Amino acid sequence: MHPMLNIAVRAARSAGNVITRGFENRSDLLTEKKGENDFVTKVDKEAEQTIISKIQQSFPDHSFVGEEGGLVEGDKDFQWIIDPLDGTTNFIKGIPHFAVSIALMHKGRIDQAVVFDPIRGELFTASKGAGAQLNGFRIRTGKAKDLTNTTLATAFPFKDKAQSDESISRFTNIFKQCGDVRRCGSAALDLAYVAAGRYDGYWERGVQPWDIAAGELLVRESGGLVTDYTGGNDPLYKGEIVAGNPRVVQSLVKHLK
């Protein structure tokens, strides 16, 4: 395992311990509202600080971008992009589907990635050019040749419902072409599941870099393709993403344009 990936895994597992303890004691949970339908808990904040502290023990000069803490200035060539608890609403409601997401960007490109599901004990990892793994075993995207009989994943713009009509129209168009669609509430796990071949494809608008950075590398390193809604190959800051094997992505983009 790449040394920096090894550190990221340790940080993700430490954050997972924080999250698991919080999940078992949700009666003590303090929830704050960041925006419309957008919540944060003390567990999110504690998990993010745990991740940063663990990484800084080995790389004190690196910079960080976290969902909760914002930007921590440092060496711009090495920037960690962190979502300490992707799927906070699930966590608050007691739905055991959420994950820690950690990615390392080196000179503008995602180089290392970890998505950790602390409830199932599933650790998805990837290093640029070295493939993607689930608990140490190589994973690959699915082999679907088009949308027929595929199982896809998506999400609706719950933070900005003014976009809902457009999103529902796209959903309806794609739903008529595929087998079924899941909407489970964690972009990081959606992308990890695409990388592992559990989902054949995924699309979503309204995502932030910390939602998708680690998952993007997982999909690419498992043989998949990641684009924006127009087929562009760098979706990290576009706020929209399409992922799957190349044929599925091509079909999805055709219906999303």
Side-chain angles (χ1 to χ4, degrees):
M1 185 179 290
H2 190 285
M4 290 187 179
L5 182 61
N6 192 34
I7 297 300
V9 167
R10 292 181 190 176
R13 290 194 183 278
S14 295
N17 290 336
V18 171
I19 292 166
T20 302
R21 288 197 302 269
F23 193 64
E24 292 171 350
N25 298 282
R26 290 192 331 282
S27 59
D28 299 329
L29 203 60
L30 294 176
T31 302
E32 300 173 24
K33 189 173 183 179
K34 295 193 293 184
E36 191 65 28
N37 300 310
D38 192 10
F39 301 95
V40 63
T41 73
K42 65 177 182 179
V43 173
D44 296 71
K45 296 177 180 180
E46 185 179 346
E48 181 168 297
Q49 191 53 53
T50 296
I51 293 167
I52 293 173
S53 296
K54 284 289 184 181
I55 294 173
Q56 284 181 328
Q57 289 174 11
S58 299
F59 307 111
D61 298 329
H62 287 190
S63 62
F64 297 83
V65 176
E67 179 176 11
E68 310 308 335
L71 178 65
V72 177
E73 296 283 359
D75 185 346
K76 294 181 180 179
D77 284 347
F78 293 93
Q79 185 178 73
W80 296 88
I81 305 175
I82 301 164
D83 191 337
L85 178 49
D86 186 60
T88 297
T89 299
N90 286 346
F91 176 83
I92 292 170
K93 294 292 186 180
I95 301 168
H97 189 81
F98 41 78
V100 180
S101 177
I102 304 173
L104 172 63
M105 179 176 283
H106 180 222
K107 295 184 177 179
R109 294 292 179 186
I110 303 298
D111 193 67
Q112 309 294 328
V114 175
V115 172
F116 178 52
D117 179 342
I119 300 299
R120 298 177 181 85
E122 292 191 327
L123 180 72
F124 299 86
T125 58
S127 294
K128 188 175 180 180
Q133 295 82 34
L134 167 56
N135 291 342
F137 292 92
R138 184 69 184 266
I139 52 176
R140 303 287 296 179
T141 56
K143 298 179 180 180
K145 296 180 179 180
D146 54 36
L147 297 185
T148 305
N149 297 322
T150 54
T151 299
L152 308 175
T154 190
F156 294 111
F158 63 95
K159 296 179 186 177
D160 184 10
K161 294 187 177 179
Q163 298 182 31
S164 61
D165 289 345
E166 181 182 355
S167 294
I168 290 170
S169 176
R170 285 187 167 121
F171 174 88
T172 301
N173 191 20
I174 292 170
F175 183 64
K176 291 177 180 179
Q177 308 298 321
C178 70
D180 204 353
V181 180
R182 301 285 182 267
R183 191 263 184 261
C184 295
S186 171
L189 285 177
D190 285 342
L191 286 163
Y193 284 15
V194 170
R198 295 174 178 176
Y199 293 151
D200 296 293
Y202 160 71
W203 82 97
E204 184 176 353
R205 173 169 278 178
V207 291
Q208 298 292 335
W210 47 78
D211 297 321
I212 63 172
E216 178 181 335
L217 186 64
L218 286 172
V219 173
R220 293 188 192 279
E221 288 298 323
S222 61
L225 181 65
V226 182
T227 75
D228 58 28
Y229 277 22
T230 63
N233 64 2
D234 189 13
L236 191 60
Y237 297 104
K238 295 287 184 67
E240 59 189 34
I241 186 169
V242 186
N245 75 39
R247 290 187 177 184
V248 168
V249 169
Q250 183 179 27
S251 296
L252 284 172
V253 167
K254 182 178 69 174
H255 291 291
L256 289 167
K257 279 185 176 180

